[in-house]
Amino acid sequence: MKTFLKIAIVCVLIIACKDQKNEPESLKSVIEKEKPTQKNEKIDSKAVVLLTKEQYELFFPKQLGDYNLIQVGEDKVQGIGTGTYIKGKDYGNVMHYFVTDGHRKGSSALRNFKKSYESDDKAPEGREYVRKERDGYKTFALLEHKYNMYDVSAIYNNRFQLTVKGHEKPDELWTYLKQANLEILD
């Protein structure tokens, strides 16, 4: 009986060692199987290339009217670039210029703009929505007269939502929107 038990233990150890030896090989074979599929993947030539901070810095003008660019920011996760401007040295008079990539995965910028532009909704009390075509671009503006805050948005190249927010009137904000280096977005 002792001999049978010793033989059984030896057999179990041999089988266990064999299983351990096969395990790295099976892991290796899984990795090898993964590599060919990665090599054979076709790279989409129309893949979306996100803008870099350097491109955003070239996009935003150094000056918009009386406003000077003080900071360029980038949110890679949201696909948004921002230019922050101040009038003179008055930090109480700030304007923001946003560029939102509508083709970034998960972005709803284009869809939300289209819904806002095509909607007949009335703005809440103290606010006003203005939907207007300017120079061939559909624009949507949110006017908050009570707070003297306005923002104007437009879609450029059927991909980017451009938005300027500040204290200037919508017509003035529209001129600022067009002063950026739009060729970078082509």
Side-chain angles (χ1 to χ4, degrees), residues 26-43:
S26 65
L27 181 60
K28 195 178 209 179
S29 65
V30 168
I31 292 171
E32 290 301 318
K33 287 178 186 175
E34 290 286 329
K35 283 183 183 179
T37 59
Q38 290 173 353
K39 289 178 185 174
N40 292 335
E41 286 179 2
K42 292 181 181 177
I43 298 172

Side-chain angles (χ1 to χ4, degrees), residues 6 30 32 66 171:
K6 287 179 185 179
V30 168
E32 290 301 318
D66 295 334
D171 290 334

Side-chain angles (χ1 to χ4, degrees), residues 60-73:
F60 294 112
K62 300 296 180 214
Q63 191 170 14
L64 291 173
D66 295 334
Y67 291 85
N68 296 312
L69 180 67
I70 60 167
Q71 181 180 0
V72 174

Side-chain angles (χ1 to χ4, degrees), residues 7 10-11 18 107 128 132 148:
I7 293 174
V10 170
C11 288
K18 240 184 186 180
S107 176
E128 179 183 0
K132 185 176 181 179
N148 193 31

Side-chain angles (χ1 to χ4, degrees), residues 64-141:
L64 291 173
D66 295 334
Y67 291 85
N68 296 312
L69 180 67
I70 60 167
Q71 181 180 0
V72 174
E74 173 190 27
D75 182 343
K76 290 181 183 180
V77 175
Q78 298 292 323
I80 300 173
T82 59
T84 304
Y85 295 83
I86 62 168
K87 194 171 195 175
K89 295 185 181 197
D90 180 11
Y91 282 89
N93 202 347
V94 177
M95 182 173 61
H96 298 281
Y97 194 142
F98 299 92
V99 178
T100 306
D101 190 342
H103 285 181
R104 181 198 52 80
K105 185 178 178 183
S107 176
S108 60
L110 300 177
R111 183 177 60 244
N112 289 344
F113 179 88
K114 183 178 178 185
K115 283 182 181 179
S116 296
Y117 186 82
E118 294 174 352
S119 171
D120 291 333
D121 292 346
K122 300 292 179 199
E125 189 176 329
R127 296 179 181 168
E128 179 183 0
Y129 296 144
V130 176
R131 297 160 182 92
K132 185 176 181 179
E133 189 165 323
R134 301 170 192 253
D135 303 330
Y137 293 96
K138 294 177 180 178
T139 63
F140 178 78

